[in-house]
């Protein structure tokens, strides 16, 4: 399985994500819970998309499939021109680390690591030399406005600062896609606006495809397109 490195920075048109008749179920006790049902979805390279839906609609499951965190049962998922299917744990982790950046509501920062060390962590897993890891982490901390917090640990940072560190970490491997799961859910409205400004800048300046799962209408309305899930199906034509 190979995925090309090139991306058309700032140019939309090529299809980055293509789901066709995709299904995903989980075994719950003696029952099979059908979570995603015959999903058809296309997202272009460089697009900024939000995914909305009530609790249990399948938002997080969809994000897990897109992020190669979870397998699907049937249908197809193409990332670029590549079919993502039946990957082993090691191979899936390798592709996630190289091509997908994640941002979470709860930040997922290591409490005993500095901001620089947290940002550089994906590069450690990728085998990047220490000096280069540090340089790239510091560059991204400067970009998100936290150069003066590089040596602070998470409990010395505000919620908004933690999320900026998390966004910097998501970008350090230069991913083709950033998946953000409720990235503003734990923040006040002013800080939420600042985080959205940053994600919009990442999308506009780098041409990175950004997909945001959110329950906040004010967040979704700032994206280019809203995909609505209901009972595991996409409402209307995505």
């Amino acid at each position: 399985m190979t995925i090309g490195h090139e991306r058309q920075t700032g140019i939309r048109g090529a299809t980055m994500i293509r789901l066709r008749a995709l299904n995903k179920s989980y075994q719950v006790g003696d029952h099979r819970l059908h979570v995603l049902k015959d999903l058809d979805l296309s997202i272009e390279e460089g697009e900024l998309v939000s995914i909305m839906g009530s609790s249990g609609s399948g938002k997080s499951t969809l994000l897990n499939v897109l992020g190669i965190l979870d397998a699907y049962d049937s249908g197809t998922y193409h990332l670029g021109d590549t079919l993502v299917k039946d990957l082993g744990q090691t191979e899936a982790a390798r592709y996630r680390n190289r091509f997908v950046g994640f941002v979470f509501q709860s930040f997922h920062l290591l409490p005993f690591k500095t901001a620089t060390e947290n940002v550089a962590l994906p590069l450690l897993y990728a085998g990047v030399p220490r000096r280069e890891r540090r340089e790239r982490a510091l560059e991204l901390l400067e970009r998100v406005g936290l150069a003066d917090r590089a040596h602070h640990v998470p409990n010395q940072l505000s919620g908004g600062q933690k999320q900026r560190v998390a966004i910097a970490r998501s970008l350090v491997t230069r991913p083709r896609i950033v998946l953000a799961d409720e990235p503003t859910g734990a923040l006040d409205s002013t800080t939420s606006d600042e985080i959205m400004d940053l994600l919009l800048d990442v999308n506009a300046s780098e041409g990175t495809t950004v997909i945001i799962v959110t329950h906040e209408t004010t967040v979704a309305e700032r994206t280019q397109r809203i995909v609505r899930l209901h009972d595991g199906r996409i409402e209307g034509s995505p």
Side-chain angles (χ1 to χ4, degrees):
M1 174 176 174
T2 59
I3 303 176
H5 288 274
E6 298 299 323
R7 77 166 171 246
Q8 301 171 359
T9 303
I11 300 175
R12 289 178 54 191
T15 301
M16 173 60 67
I17 287 171
R18 186 169 70 255
L19 308 182
R20 293 293 179 264
L22 187 136
N23 288 272
K24 173 65 181 177
S25 299
Y26 292 105
Q27 192 69 35
V28 181
D30 296 330
H31 303 284
R32 193 79 173 163
L33 180 63
H34 197 176
V35 182
L36 300 178
K37 305 170 183 176
D38 292 320
L39 289 193
D40 288 339
L41 175 66
S42 294
I43 296 175
E44 294 180 356
E45 186 169 14
E47 196 172 4
L48 174 64
V49 177
S50 55
I51 299 174
M52 299 192 75
S54 60
S55 179
S57 63
K59 301 188 305 297
S60 294
T61 299
L62 175 57
L63 207 68
N64 286 342
V65 170
L66 294 179
I68 323 177
L69 291 168
D70 206 350
Y72 56 94
D73 301 327
S74 63
T76 59
Y77 167 25
H78 282 87
L79 178 58
D81 295 327
T82 302
L83 177 64
V84 178
K85 183 72 173 174
D86 298 330
L87 301 182
Q89 289 187 358
T90 300
E91 190 177 15
R94 182 161 57 90
Y95 281 105
R96 279 196 305 272
N97 196 51
R98 291 177 63 190
F99 299 105
V100 184
F102 295 93
V103 181
F104 302 96
Q105 177 178 346
S106 55
F107 318 127
H108 289 197
L109 301 179
L110 295 180
F112 53 89
K113 297 279 189 184
T114 66
T116 302
E117 291 168 335
N118 268 287
V119 172
L121 199 58
L123 299 178
L124 174 63
Y125 298 146
V128 174
R130 182 176 181 179
R131 182 174 179 178
E132 183 180 348
R133 294 199 306 265
R134 177 178 172 79
E135 289 175 351
R136 284 168 62 175
L138 289 173
E139 285 174 6
L140 279 164
L141 285 172
E142 182 174 2
R143 178 176 175 183
V144 301
L146 289 179
D148 61 339
R149 296 290 188 270
H151 303 297
H152 288 57
V153 294
N155 67 8
Q156 297 173 315
L157 303 174
S158 68
Q161 289 170 337
K162 290 176 186 177
Q163 195 60 291
R164 286 175 179 271
V165 172
I167 291 171
R169 180 185 58 194
S170 78
L171 298 174
V172 76
T173 58
R174 298 167 183 152
R176 299 182 70 176
I177 303 169
V178 169
L179 302 177
D181 192 0
E182 299 283 2
T184 62
L187 307 174
D188 61 65
S189 58
T190 299
T191 308
S192 294
D193 286 341
E194 294 171 353
I195 293 302
M196 280 303 296
D197 288 343
L198 182 55
L199 289 171
L200 265 64
D201 178 68
V202 166
N203 170 254
S205 63
E206 301 292 332
T208 305
T209 306
V210 178
I211 302 170
I212 302 172
V213 164
T214 183
H215 67 277
E216 300 177 62
T217 302
T218 54
V219 169
E221 286 176 344
R222 297 190 65 185
T223 64
Q224 297 161 351
R225 179 159 60 110
I226 302 174
V227 175
R228 300 183 187 275
L229 283 181
H230 179 72
D231 289 339
R233 300 182 187 275
I234 293 176
E235 295 181 341
S237 299

